[in-house]
Amino acid sequence: MSILITGAAGFIGFHLAEVLLGQGRRVIGVDNLNDYYDPALKEARLARLQARNGFTFHKMDISERVRVEALAAEYTDISGIVHLASQAGVRYSLVNPYAYTRANVEGHLVLLEAARRLPELKHFVYASSSSVYGANTKLPFSVDDRTDNPVSLYGATKKTMEVMSESYARMWGLPLTGLRFFTVYGPWGRPDMAAFIFMRKILAGEPIPVFNNGDMQRDFTYVDDIVAGVVACLDKPTPSGGSEAPHRVYNIGNNRSEPLMRFIEIIEHALGRKAEIDFQPMQPGDVKATFADIEATTRDFGFVPSTPIDEGLPTLVAWYRDYYGA
Ligand SMILES: NC(=O)c1ccc[n+]([C@@H]2O[C@H](COP(=O)([O-])OP(=O)(O)OC[C@H]3O[C@@H](n4cnc5c(N)ncnc54)[C@H](O)[C@@H]3O)[C@@H](O)[C@H]2O)c1
């Protein structure tokens, strides 16, 4: 039995693959290694995975139907899919919207079509995002809240993935679970995200841009906590055969909404340097606060995040200094 991870050279996919391989499972990784951020970091993650037993990699774009069909025909023993390959990033969706429909809508459809033909498939888990909550102001965000007012195309495509999944669960009885991730950070993380931008600029002595004059809050989630939640979910497929479609959506966050300025202070402290702050107005596509209600995730998967930012950020800073020699 194999697990297919799409986006395996990405931040979360890499960490997930490491954990699954550590459990002795066979992992098939797929990624197109695109240059949305430095592909050298993706190659470095991949090199670590390729050095391990049980890992096979295929470089391909998930929106290429023929290639994904051929992959599914080759690995008929796939029992689980964790679909993480997406065009991520809120702000970039204002710059290159077509990248989002290609990877997140077309790519998701190609995977759903391949999945429904896999004879041994037990569970298809896919990454959604806190961005589906869009302009909602009621905190914490609950999966029972409406999610029909996205403020970015990224959020709209993640919501689209959820709605498409519901239809595939109903039409084909495909067991699917969508996980709404909340601002994930940690070693081997994404250079386009706030923690990396802050570390790079602080070390270079450059001012850091802080939007909405710093009046922002995020439910920052450490990557090891996210991965533990994904594995627990993967191993507990949505029940099928009842009157409801086998599709559920859950929040995976830290269940703590931290002020952005506190996040910056911890990074400053770990780096031993003060940041010069360039306060800027709110950016289009951004939201002021995120905060995950994880009650259902804890109840159904035993998900209990255990890493506060006071612990996770210093670990990230130590990795960053070591990896970049900074
Ligand atoms: N990191 C976060 O804070 C966060 C928050 C919410 C949701 N998510 C979601 O979690 C998933 C993983 O995010 P991440 O932070 O690891 O991002 P990432 O960009 O590091 O990983 C995604 C990987 O997918 C690959 N990819 C993108 N489009 C592809 C395509 N068309 N075909 C094949 N490969 C493709 C990229 O090359 C990349 O390696 C994404 O779906 C993202 O939307 C992440």
Side-chain angles (χ1 to χ4, degrees), residues 238-262:
T238 326
S240 44
S243 56
E244 283 183 46
H247 176 228
R248 305 272 184 284
V249 171
Y250 293 89
N251 287 334
I252 295 214
N254 201 34
N255 193 225
R256 288 167 71 139
S257 195
E258 305 278 5
L260 179 61
M261 297 312 288
R262 198 172 105 72

Side-chain angles (χ1 to χ4, degrees), residues 6-39:
T6 71
F11 169 37
I12 300 169
F14 159 72
H15 282 281
L16 174 68
E18 289 234 295
V19 168
L20 293 178
L21 291 167
Q23 294 176 343
R25 304 203 219 189
R26 275 194 291 139
V27 173
I28 301 153
V30 163
D31 203 297
N32 67 355
L33 304 174
N34 68 46
D35 64 358
Y36 165 61
Y37 62 78
D38 185 6

Side-chain angles (χ1 to χ4, degrees), residues 222-297:
Y222 192 63
V223 68
D224 290 357
D225 288 330
I226 288 277
V227 168
V230 173
V231 174
C233 169
L234 178 66
D235 290 339
K236 206 171 165 203
T238 326
S240 44
S243 56
E244 283 183 46
H247 176 228
R248 305 272 184 284
V249 171
Y250 293 89
N251 287 334
I252 295 214
N254 201 34
N255 193 225
R256 288 167 71 139
S257 195
E258 305 278 5
L260 179 61
M261 297 312 288
R262 198 172 105 72
F263 183 79
I264 294 170
E265 274 167 26
I266 297 171
I267 292 177
E268 287 178 324
H269 192 257
L271 286 172
R273 302 237 188 134
K274 247 355 236 166
E276 188 189 328
I277 295 181
D278 174 17
F279 285 115
Q280 293 188 17
M282 191 80 168
Q283 297 284 292
D286 242 351
V287 298
K288 197 176 153 199
T290 68
F291 183 6
D293 176 340
I294 58 167
E295 201 185 316
T297 328

Side-chain angles (χ1 to χ4, degrees), residues 34-313:
N34 68 46
D35 64 358
Y36 165 61
Y37 62 78
D38 185 6
L41 181 57
K42 298 179 182 181
E43 298 275 8
R45 295 180 187 128
L46 193 56
R48 283 174 69 108
L49 295 178
Q50 283 177 317
R52 301 189 61 157
N53 281 336
F55 183 75
T56 318
F57 180 69
H58 293 265
K59 183 177 176 188
M60 70 174 69
D61 193 305
I62 51 148
S63 64
E64 282 178 51
R65 197 170 122 193
V66 175
R67 299 219 38 211
V68 173
E69 278 170 7
L71 184 88
E74 185 181 346
Y75 296 99
T76 48
D77 71 330
I78 292 173
S79 60
I81 297 178
V82 184
H83 172 34
L84 302 168
S86 272
Q87 179 57 57
V90 167
R91 292 182 194 131
Y92 186 62
S93 68
L94 283 85
V95 179
N96 187 2
Y98 297 104
Y100 290 76
T101 49
R102 194 163 53 248
N104 306 4
V105 181
E106 184 79 19
H108 191 52
L109 176 61
V110 168
L111 278 163
L112 288 169
E113 275 294 312
R116 75 178 178 85
R117 294 182 171 87
L118 281 168
E120 302 293 338
L121 189 73
K122 306 278 182 299
H123 202 185
F124 180 134
V125 179
Y126 64 93
S128 184
S129 166
S130 59
S131 294
V132 301
Y133 292 108
N136 289 11
T137 50
K138 177 188 142 287
L139 296 173
F141 293 155
S142 159
V143 284
D144 297 324
D145 297 340
R146 292 187 69 156
T147 49
D148 48 9
N149 51 10
V151 294
S152 67
L153 183 74
Y154 171 64
T157 58
K158 286 288 168 185
K159 180 66 191 174
T160 303
M161 288 172 69
E162 294 182 0
V163 179
M164 287 165 70
S165 300
E166 178 72 16
S167 75
Y168 267 69
R170 284 178 190 276
M171 290 190 298
W172 304 107
L174 197 59
L176 283 142
T177 302
L179 300 176
R180 293 176 177 168
F181 296 156
F182 281 66
T183 321
V184 191
Y185 72 97
W188 297 95
R190 275 183 21 215
D192 62 315
M193 292 187 69
F196 271 64
I197 295 170
F198 293 161
M199 289 187 292
R200 191 176 64 241
K201 287 188 180 285
I202 292 171
L203 286 169
E206 294 170 13
I208 60 169
V210 172
F211 301 113
N212 202 34
N213 296 312
D215 184 14
M216 305 263 259
Q217 278 175 240
R218 287 288 178 277
D219 197 324
F220 295 104
T221 320
Y222 192 63
V223 68
D224 290 357
D225 288 330
I226 288 277
V227 168
V230 173
V231 174
C233 169
L234 178 66
D235 290 339
K236 206 171 165 203
T238 326
S240 44
S243 56
E244 283 183 46
H247 176 228
R248 305 272 184 284
V249 171
Y250 293 89
N251 287 334
I252 295 214
N254 201 34
N255 193 225
R256 288 167 71 139
S257 195
E258 305 278 5
L260 179 61
M261 297 312 288
R262 198 172 105 72
F263 183 79
I264 294 170
E265 274 167 26
I266 297 171
I267 292 177
E268 287 178 324
H269 192 257
L271 286 172
R273 302 237 188 134
K274 247 355 236 166
E276 188 189 328
I277 295 181
D278 174 17
F279 285 115
Q280 293 188 17
M282 191 80 168
Q283 297 284 292
D286 242 351
V287 298
K288 197 176 153 199
T290 68
F291 183 6
D293 176 340
I294 58 167
E295 201 185 316
T297 328
T298 304
R299 181 194 65 217
D300 292 353
F301 306 121
F303 173 68
V304 184
S306 62
T307 317
I309 57 173
D310 316 70
E311 273 175 38
L313 282 174

